[in-house]
Amino acid sequence: MAKPESWRLDAASYPASIELQTRFQDMDINGHLNNVAFAALFESGRVLLNREVRPLIDRPANERTMVAMVEINYLGEGNFPDPVTITSGIGRIGTSSWTIVQAMFQNGRAIASCDTVVVCRTDGQAKPLRAEMVAELTDKLVTPANP
């Protein structure tokens, strides 16, 4: 993953944000947050964003969403016990998928970014997103503060 564009490192670009406490068990042998902790913290941010998209809750019984790809760009070291802020938004809406873009901040600096592709499947096949889901996802698009 290439170095993120500058707007990706500005928390104001994202419509959703959550502060999460780091844990002692998140540390690696060097005393920094390990890569599994980064992934789990980003996952918590994605869950928050997805819960704000109501049509995911009201979806038909035969519709499923699944993560197709996660890409994390480690920009700096994270430390315990300092909390992190995960910012999230929609970066792209496709026909049957969307991309969640995120950044992780600790003590005022960006320490990672993450892109996740989520695919919508109905009856086991990729199907176009429902109009109401597209509308909700559109409301959560990132707005680059420094394009």
Side-chain angles (χ1 to χ4, degrees), residues 6-15 87-89 140-146:
S6 61
W7 69 264
R8 293 282 311 261
L9 308 179
D10 183 345
S13 299
Y14 301 86
T87 57
S88 306
K140 301 295 181 189
L141 283 168
V142 293
T143 52
N146 300 316

Side-chain angles (χ1 to χ4, degrees), residues 3-14 73 75 87 102-105 108-114 145-146:
K3 183 177 178 182
E5 296 178 60
S6 61
W7 69 264
R8 293 282 311 261
L9 308 179
D10 183 345
S13 299
Y14 301 86
N73 188 6
L75 305 171
T87 57
Q102 299 175 283
M104 182 184 301
F105 300 88
R109 66 183 174 91
I111 60 172
S113 64
C114 181
N146 300 316

Side-chain angles (χ1 to χ4, degrees), residues 3 5 7 16 26 32 34 39 46 48-51 56-57 59 61 69-70 82 85 91 103-104 109 118 125 136 138:
K3 183 177 178 182
E5 296 178 60
W7 69 264
D26 293 337
H32 305 118
N34 65 49
R46 281 195 306 276
L48 170 72
L49 184 68
N50 285 336
R51 289 182 63 147
L56 289 178
I57 295 168
R59 66 181 176 212
M69 189 271 312
V70 175
D82 299 338
T85 299
M104 182 184 301
R109 66 183 174 91
V118 181
Q125 298 179 33
E136 290 285 334
T138 300

Side-chain angles (χ1 to χ4, degrees), residues 49-139:
L49 184 68
N50 285 336
R51 289 182 63 147
E52 292 181 4
V53 179
R54 298 223 27 99
L56 289 178
I57 295 168
D58 302 329
R59 66 181 176 212
N62 60 342
E63 181 181 275
R64 300 283 181 261
T65 55
M66 58 186 62
V67 171
M69 189 271 312
V70 175
E71 188 171 63
I72 299 173
N73 188 6
Y74 301 96
L75 305 171
E77 297 170 347
N79 298 292
F80 169 80
D82 299 338
V84 296
T85 299
I86 306 294
T87 57
S88 306
I90 304 301
R92 182 194 66 81
I93 303 170
T95 302
S96 61
S97 67
W98 63 94
T99 302
I100 298 172
V101 293
Q102 299 175 283
M104 182 184 301
F105 300 88
Q106 190 176 57
N107 299 320
R109 66 183 174 91
I111 60 172
S113 64
C114 181
D115 291 4
T116 304
V117 176
V118 181
V119 177
C120 184
R121 297 176 57 86
T122 304
D123 297 326
Q125 298 179 33
K127 298 283 178 144
L129 298 171
R130 291 177 286 116
E132 57 269 19
M133 186 179 290
V134 170
E136 290 285 334
L137 291 169
T138 300
D139 285 344

Side-chain angles (χ1 to χ4, degrees), residues 7-47:
W7 69 264
R8 293 282 311 261
L9 308 179
D10 183 345
S13 299
Y14 301 86
S17 177
I18 184 172
E19 183 173 278
L20 299 170
Q21 182 58 54
T22 57
R23 306 167 306 169
F24 179 78
Q25 70 189 41
D26 293 337
M27 287 193 302
D28 63 18
I29 196 164
N30 298 313
H32 305 118
L33 298 180
N34 65 49
N35 58 348
V36 174
F38 276 78
L41 291 162
F42 276 125
E43 178 183 49
S44 292
R46 281 195 306 276
V47 169

